[in-house]
Structures are given as C-alpha cells and as structure tokens.
Amino acid sequence: MATFGNLTDRLAETFKNLRGKGKLSAADVDGTVREIRRALLDADVSLDVVKDFTAKVRERALGDEVSKALNPAQQVVQIVNDELVTILGGEARRIEFAKKPPTVIMLAGLQGAGKTTLAGKLAKWLKSENHTPLLVAADLQRPNAVTQLQIVGEQAGVPVFAPEPGNGKGNPVKVAKDGVKEAERKLYDVVIVDTAGRLGVDAELMKQAGDIRKAIDPDEVLFVIDAMIGQDAVATAKAFQDGVDFTGVVLTKLDGDARGGAALSVASVTGRPIMFASTGETLDDFEPFYPDRMASRILDLGDILTLIEQAQKSFDEEDARKTAEKFATDSFTLDDFLGQMQQLKNMGSIKSMLGLLPGAKGMRQQLENFDESEITRTEAIIQSMTKQERVQPKVLNGSRRVRIARGSGTTVTEVNALVNRFEQAAKMMKTVAKGGVPQVPGMGPIPGASYGGARKAQPKKKGSKSGNPAKRAAENAALASGAKPVTSAGGSGFGLGLGKTGKDGKAAPSEEELASLQKFLGRG
C-alpha cells in the first residue's frame, strides 16, 4: 500500500520515541500529537479532519486509560488506531441489494479516476459472489469509453449493454434506462451503470448525472475517487454530493506513490462510507473496504485477516490436506512444489501480500527489490524437467542440470539453487508435519523446541559408567548375574579391589591384580 507509505513511516517514527517510557507526561503527549498533526498534514489530510482527529487523540491520551496503563506507548498507538478507524468511516458497509432484482448501481466521479476499469473490477467481484451483473455503457462523452468498457467486460466475463457507439453520440439517459430494462428482461440481478467523468464545476455534466439518477433511481451511487489526487478530491466530493449526492465511496490507485491523505478525509467530510478499494491494475486487485483493517495497515500493524481471505480464495482445502499428507510421508515432489507456487501466484502480487504482514514497512527496501518474476523462472525450471526428475530430484546429475538450464533459459547455478531450496523446504515442512519446530537458516535454536518432530523417549541405559575397562567389565558382569556391585575403595580407580573383601570389610585386591600392578611399576 504505497499510497500511505510516507504517513506510515512518520507515525512509526513518532511512536518509536515513546517506547521505554514507564509513564507519559503532558509534554510527551503534546509532542506526540504535534508530530501526528504534521504527518497527517504532509499526507494531504484535510485541515478540519486533522484538527478534530488530534484533539480527540490528545484528550484520550491525557486521560486515565493511558496514565493507568501498564504500557502507555502501546495505549497511545491503540488510541490513534481507534481514531483512524473513526475518520475512515467506523464500520464497514456492504452493498444494499434490492428486494426485487435487479439492484441498480450507478458509478460517478472525476475524469481519469479509473471509473470504467473499476466497473469491470466490481462486476468481476460480484460475479465471484454468485451474482449475475450487467455492465451498461452510459459514458458517451469520453472518446472510446464504450469500447474500453466492452474490453473490460470481456476480460471480466460479464456482458455489456452498449447500444450507442459513444464518442459524443447518443443519449446517456436513455441508454441507462434501456440498460435497466434489459437486465429485467434477461434476469440479471445487478446493473452497473458507467457514466461520464465530470468535474465539480462542470454544470452540464453534473446535470446529466442528476438526470441519469432520476431516470434509473439507483439503489447505490458510488463516487469513484483517485487516492492520489490531493486536496481537490475533497472539494470535488463536496460539489458532487451537493449536485447529485452519492451513497458510498470507492478509492482507486491505492498502489500509487502519492501521499494519498485526501482519501482519509472523504468519509469524514462527506459522511459517506468508503465501500471498496482498488489496489492495483488487474481486475482482481479489488477488495471491500474495512476501516479497521486500513487503519492497521497505515500504522504498520498488518492486515492478517485480508491475507487469510486471499489465501482461502486461492488455495483448495482438499489440495492443502493432500499436500500436508505428502509432507508427513516424505512423498512431496517438485510437481507438488510447482502446484504450490502456482497457487501462490493466483493470490496476486507477492509484494502486496508481504505488505499485509505486521512490521512490513520496516522491510520496505527488501519488498521493493523483490523480483516477482522469480516465480516464473522457477516454473520454467521445473517444467523443463522430465517426470522422473520431478519425482526423484536425486537423479539430477550434472548433464541433466545443464539440459534443464538450457531448456528454461536459466543457468545451472539457478537450477542448483532451486533444488537446494526445494530440499530445505521439504525437510522443514516434514518436521512441521510431525509436530516439530523447523530449524530456520540464519536463526538459532528455539529453547524448548523439538527439531526432529516428536521423538520417542529413549530407555535409560543400565550398566557401569566407569571409565576403566576392567572395572566396567566387572561391574557389568555383576549386574548381569543379579549381584550388587562391590563399592570400590582406595585404589579402585585403577581397577583394583573388585573381587575380595579384607578384614575391615573393604574391598581388597586379588593376587592377579597385585601381580599386574607390580609388573606395571616395573617390579615384577
């Protein structure tokens, strides 16, 4: 989420200064609030929103919930998180579907906000939710807008109603009305009407949007806003709200590099919820908007729930069970490894997924340098292998690896690295499948962890522990016969006194032992 990257860094640095303090003074709180205010203003958040936000944070930070907290710094972070959720709209809101289909959704917004592409993203998402959407091309103003919607609709697998060629020709109000009738006739349960982009000061286009709204009486009017546009977004949202009004907001280009703080202001200024977010260029880069999850991302606390949802969409539960069984039985092959990689690709951008992890902003440099094409090269290497080589990587000798490198357009070094990674991954997952904790390269052992899975308790060995062979043999012989070994006295360290007992009850050396000792001392 590059849009809020700078804001995230500034806030993280601010909170870092609070760590280690057992109690926060009023000066500490004021300094923190001042830095938060600067960070929000630098991110283009509306001044009115910033004032209200920082006033609430300061009031709560000076209250009992922080002064009595065990960790005041974490409590301040929690307060900032709560207030961010509030300005982002509080609770998530979904589309309110009509009791009698079709549900009519009208899209409107600024020129260049990505409205037509978003129509295709929304349609594809609705289709994945078991709806039957119909796209209506009512943007007859922008050149080739109708053609673009038809292409997007084809990519999404959704039909497009486009009776007019556009490019300034045709009546958009009539097209919108006819599109709703077409949906009723062919039993589509959702109609998405794409309208012409407009500016707040463009009275003619604003009137056209108002006429379309009156003609089709939509269940939802979604205002599409570019997250990178800056303070103008708030002014335009107000103008559009006054001229046409809307029921929800959709944020686009959240993957951009701009400051993006204006997007934080829209929900608070207009009183309308943010309902969806577009996070990339492909039709799959689209998700429902959750204020609490977005606040966590901005504060670099991660968004594990979204990551889990993406994984559930891409990974088949039955396949996952079979893979786990293969790990446990040591039958995991390069074919299975390839399948796992392809499912990972289906989840979308690896960088985006890693960015959902807590603390991801701390490794932004590594994320930026991450090469997404590495997965494609891995696929090429495995697909250049024979069936036997995928099942039994041990047969990969030097000549085979050279052939695979040539066939996949890679080097032998890359082939070797892949085989090594596969063997390490299979070994680690086998340990996990058996209930153990894998030894991760570069990390020390975890105290109390079993690294080979659950091991059976070994029976304690019985017998002598003596370091002297003669003594050890005698004690083991005594144990084998059931007799209790004689406790050694002086000289027993040399293997003496294991057979006899003297008058005083102590062990005495035998004649053979005395002869051996004299011979050892050179007196024999």
Side-chain angles (χ1 to χ4, degrees), residues 293-320:
R293 300 185 191 182
M294 183 58 69
S296 292
R297 292 193 211 180
I298 292 171
L299 294 177
D300 199 20
L301 301 177
D303 186 358
I304 300 300
L305 287 175
T306 297
L307 188 60
I308 291 171
E309 288 173 359
Q310 290 180 359
Q312 287 175 335
K313 289 179 182 177
S314 302
F315 283 83
D316 182 79
E317 191 173 336
E318 181 63 21
D319 286 345

Short mmCIF file of all heavy atoms in Angstrom, two decimals, residues 293-320:
data_model
loop_
_atom_site.label_atom_id
_atom_site.label_comp_id
_atom_site.label_asym_id
_atom_site.label_seq_id
_atom_site.Cartn_x
_atom_site.Cartn_y
_atom_site.Cartn_z
N ARG A 293 -9.17 -2.49 9.23
CA ARG A 293 -8.01 -3.10 8.58
C ARG A 293 -7.12 -2.05 7.93
O ARG A 293 -5.89 -2.15 7.97
CB ARG A 293 -8.47 -4.12 7.53
CG ARG A 293 -9.29 -5.26 8.11
CD ARG A 293 -9.60 -6.30 7.04
NE ARG A 293 -10.59 -7.27 7.49
CZ ARG A 293 -11.00 -8.31 6.77
NH1 ARG A 293 -10.50 -8.49 5.56
NH2 ARG A 293 -11.90 -9.15 7.24
N MET A 294 -7.74 -1.03 7.32
CA MET A 294 -6.95 0.02 6.69
C MET A 294 -6.17 0.81 7.73
O MET A 294 -5.00 1.17 7.52
CB MET A 294 -7.87 0.96 5.89
CG MET A 294 -7.11 2.06 5.12
SD MET A 294 -5.90 1.40 3.95
CE MET A 294 -6.98 0.66 2.73
N ALA A 295 -6.78 1.07 8.87
CA ALA A 295 -6.08 1.77 9.96
C ALA A 295 -4.88 0.95 10.43
O ALA A 295 -3.80 1.50 10.67
CB ALA A 295 -7.04 2.03 11.12
N SER A 296 -5.04 -0.35 10.53
CA SER A 296 -3.93 -1.21 10.94
C SER A 296 -2.80 -1.17 9.92
O SER A 296 -1.62 -1.18 10.28
CB SER A 296 -4.41 -2.66 11.11
OG SER A 296 -5.28 -2.77 12.22
N ARG A 297 -3.15 -1.14 8.64
CA ARG A 297 -2.11 -1.06 7.61
C ARG A 297 -1.34 0.27 7.70
O ARG A 297 -0.12 0.29 7.58
CB ARG A 297 -2.73 -1.17 6.21
CG ARG A 297 -3.32 -2.52 5.90
CD ARG A 297 -3.62 -2.62 4.41
NE ARG A 297 -4.75 -3.48 4.15
CZ ARG A 297 -5.22 -3.76 2.93
NH1 ARG A 297 -4.66 -3.19 1.88
NH2 ARG A 297 -6.26 -4.55 2.77
N ILE A 298 -2.08 1.35 7.90
CA ILE A 298 -1.43 2.67 7.99
C ILE A 298 -0.48 2.72 9.18
O ILE A 298 0.60 3.32 9.09
CB ILE A 298 -2.50 3.78 8.09
CG1 ILE A 298 -3.28 3.88 6.77
CG2 ILE A 298 -1.87 5.13 8.43
CD1 ILE A 298 -4.48 4.80 6.84
N LEU A 299 -0.83 2.07 10.28
CA LEU A 299 0.01 2.07 11.47
C LEU A 299 1.03 0.93 11.44
O LEU A 299 1.72 0.69 12.44
CB LEU A 299 -0.86 1.97 12.73
CG LEU A 299 -1.75 3.17 13.01
CD1 LEU A 299 -2.61 2.93 14.24
CD2 LEU A 299 -0.92 4.43 13.19
N ASP A 300 1.12 0.22 10.31
CA ASP A 300 2.07 -0.88 10.13
C ASP A 300 1.83 -2.00 11.13
O ASP A 300 2.77 -2.64 11.61
CB ASP A 300 3.52 -0.37 10.26
CG ASP A 300 4.53 -1.33 9.63
OD1 ASP A 300 4.10 -2.15 8.81
OD2 ASP A 300 5.72 -1.25 9.98
N LEU A 301 0.55 -2.22 11.46
CA LEU A 301 0.19 -3.31 12.37
C LEU A 301 -0.23 -4.56 11.60
O LEU A 301 -0.60 -5.57 12.19
CB LEU A 301 -0.94 -2.88 13.31
CG LEU A 301 -0.65 -1.65 14.18
CD1 LEU A 301 -1.89 -1.28 15.00
CD2 LEU A 301 0.53 -1.91 15.09
N GLY A 302 -0.20 -4.45 10.26
CA GLY A 302 -0.53 -5.60 9.43
C GLY A 302 -2.03 -5.77 9.21
O GLY A 302 -2.86 -5.11 9.83
N ASP A 303 -2.36 -6.67 8.29
CA ASP A 303 -3.76 -6.96 7.98
C ASP A 303 -3.86 -8.46 7.69
O ASP A 303 -3.99 -8.89 6.54
CB ASP A 303 -4.22 -6.14 6.77
CG ASP A 303 -5.70 -6.29 6.47
OD1 ASP A 303 -6.36 -7.07 7.18
OD2 ASP A 303 -6.19 -5.64 5.53
N ILE A 304 -3.77 -9.24 8.75
CA ILE A 304 -3.73 -10.69 8.62
C ILE A 304 -5.05 -11.25 8.10
O ILE A 304 -5.08 -12.22 7.34
CB ILE A 304 -3.37 -11.35 9.97
CG1 ILE A 304 -2.00 -10.87 10.44
CG2 ILE A 304 -3.38 -12.86 9.85
CD1 ILE A 304 -0.87 -11.20 9.49
N LEU A 305 -6.18 -10.62 8.49
CA LEU A 305 -7.49 -11.13 8.06
C LEU A 305 -7.63 -11.09 6.54
O LEU A 305 -8.10 -12.04 5.92
CB LEU A 305 -8.61 -10.31 8.71
CG LEU A 305 -8.83 -10.56 10.20
CD1 LEU A 305 -9.89 -9.60 10.74
CD2 LEU A 305 -9.26 -12.00 10.45
N THR A 306 -7.21 -9.97 5.92
CA THR A 306 -7.27 -9.87 4.46
C THR A 306 -6.36 -10.91 3.82
O THR A 306 -6.70 -11.53 2.81
CB THR A 306 -6.88 -8.46 4.00
OG1 THR A 306 -7.82 -7.52 4.53
CG2 THR A 306 -6.87 -8.35 2.49
N LEU A 307 -5.18 -11.11 4.39
CA LEU A 307 -4.24 -12.10 3.87
C LEU A 307 -4.84 -13.50 3.92
O LEU A 307 -4.73 -14.27 2.97
CB LEU A 307 -2.94 -12.05 4.68
CG LEU A 307 -1.75 -12.87 4.17
CD1 LEU A 307 -1.35 -12.41 2.78
CD2 LEU A 307 -0.57 -12.75 5.12
N ILE A 308 -5.52 -13.82 5.01
CA ILE A 308 -6.17 -15.14 5.14
C ILE A 308 -7.27 -15.30 4.11
O ILE A 308 -7.42 -16.35 3.48
CB ILE A 308 -6.73 -15.31 6.56
CG1 ILE A 308 -5.58 -15.44 7.58
CG2 ILE A 308 -7.63 -16.54 6.65
CD1 ILE A 308 -6.04 -15.40 9.02
N GLU A 309 -8.07 -14.23 3.91
CA GLU A 309 -9.16 -14.29 2.93
C GLU A 309 -8.63 -14.51 1.53
O GLU A 309 -9.20 -15.27 0.73
CB GLU A 309 -9.99 -13.00 3.00
CG GLU A 309 -10.85 -12.92 4.27
CD GLU A 309 -11.53 -11.57 4.41
OE1 GLU A 309 -11.33 -10.71 3.53
OE2 GLU A 309 -12.25 -11.36 5.40
N GLN A 310 -7.52 -13.84 1.18
CA GLN A 310 -6.92 -14.03 -0.14
C GLN A 310 -6.43 -15.46 -0.30
O GLN A 310 -6.59 -16.07 -1.37
CB GLN A 310 -5.76 -13.05 -0.33
CG GLN A 310 -6.19 -11.60 -0.49
CD GLN A 310 -5.01 -10.67 -0.67
OE1 GLN A 310 -3.86 -11.09 -0.67
NE2 GLN A 310 -5.29 -9.39 -0.82
N ALA A 311 -5.85 -16.02 0.75
CA ALA A 311 -5.35 -17.39 0.69
C ALA A 311 -6.50 -18.38 0.53
O ALA A 311 -6.41 -19.35 -0.24
CB ALA A 311 -4.54 -17.71 1.95
N GLN A 312 -7.60 -18.15 1.24
CA GLN A 312 -8.75 -19.05 1.16
C GLN A 312 -9.36 -19.07 -0.24
O GLN A 312 -9.87 -20.10 -0.68
CB GLN A 312 -9.80 -18.65 2.19
CG GLN A 312 -9.42 -18.98 3.62
CD GLN A 312 -10.42 -18.47 4.64
OE1 GLN A 312 -11.14 -17.49 4.39
NE2 GLN A 312 -10.47 -19.10 5.81
N LYS A 313 -9.29 -17.94 -0.93
CA LYS A 313 -9.83 -17.89 -2.29
C LYS A 313 -8.96 -18.67 -3.27
O LYS A 313 -9.46 -19.21 -4.25
CB LYS A 313 -9.94 -16.43 -2.76
CG LYS A 313 -11.04 -15.63 -2.08
CD LYS A 313 -11.05 -14.20 -2.61
CE LYS A 313 -12.11 -13.36 -1.90
NZ LYS A 313 -12.08 -11.95 -2.37
N SER A 314 -7.64 -18.70 -3.02
CA SER A 314 -6.71 -19.28 -3.98
C SER A 314 -6.34 -20.72 -3.69
O SER A 314 -6.03 -21.47 -4.59
CB SER A 314 -5.42 -18.43 -4.03
OG SER A 314 -5.72 -17.09 -4.37
N PHE A 315 -6.36 -21.11 -2.40
CA PHE A 315 -5.92 -22.46 -2.05
C PHE A 315 -7.12 -23.37 -1.80
O PHE A 315 -8.04 -23.01 -1.07
CB PHE A 315 -5.04 -22.41 -0.79
CG PHE A 315 -3.65 -21.92 -1.06
CD1 PHE A 315 -3.37 -20.57 -1.14
CD2 PHE A 315 -2.61 -22.81 -1.25
CE1 PHE A 315 -2.09 -20.10 -1.41
CE2 PHE A 315 -1.32 -22.37 -1.51
CZ PHE A 315 -1.07 -21.01 -1.59
N ASP A 316 -7.08 -24.53 -2.44
CA ASP A 316 -8.14 -25.52 -2.28
C ASP A 316 -7.89 -26.33 -1.00
O ASP A 316 -6.78 -26.83 -0.77
CB ASP A 316 -8.16 -26.46 -3.49
CG ASP A 316 -9.28 -27.46 -3.39
OD1 ASP A 316 -10.44 -27.11 -3.67
OD2 ASP A 316 -9.00 -28.62 -3.01
N GLU A 317 -8.90 -26.45 -0.17
CA GLU A 317 -8.75 -27.12 1.13
C GLU A 317 -8.36 -28.59 0.97
O GLU A 317 -7.52 -29.10 1.71
CB GLU A 317 -10.06 -27.01 1.93
CG GLU A 317 -9.93 -27.42 3.37
CD GLU A 317 -11.21 -27.13 4.17
OE1 GLU A 317 -11.99 -26.25 3.76
OE2 GLU A 317 -11.40 -27.81 5.19
N GLU A 318 -8.94 -29.27 -0.02
CA GLU A 318 -8.63 -30.67 -0.25
C GLU A 318 -7.19 -30.85 -0.71
O GLU A 318 -6.47 -31.75 -0.27
CB GLU A 318 -9.59 -31.25 -1.29
CG GLU A 318 -9.39 -32.73 -1.58
CD GLU A 318 -9.64 -33.63 -0.37
OE1 GLU A 318 -10.34 -33.18 0.57
OE2 GLU A 318 -9.13 -34.76 -0.37
N ASP A 319 -6.74 -29.94 -1.61
CA ASP A 319 -5.36 -30.00 -2.08
C ASP A 319 -4.39 -29.75 -0.92
O ASP A 319 -3.33 -30.38 -0.84
CB ASP A 319 -5.12 -28.94 -3.18
CG ASP A 319 -5.76 -29.35 -4.49
OD1 ASP A 319 -6.12 -30.53 -4.62
OD2 ASP A 319 -5.92 -28.47 -5.37
N ALA A 320 -4.75 -28.80 -0.04
CA ALA A 320 -3.90 -28.49 1.10
C ALA A 320 -3.77 -29.71 2.03
O ALA A 320 -2.68 -30.00 2.54
CB ALA A 320 -4.46 -27.30 1.87
#
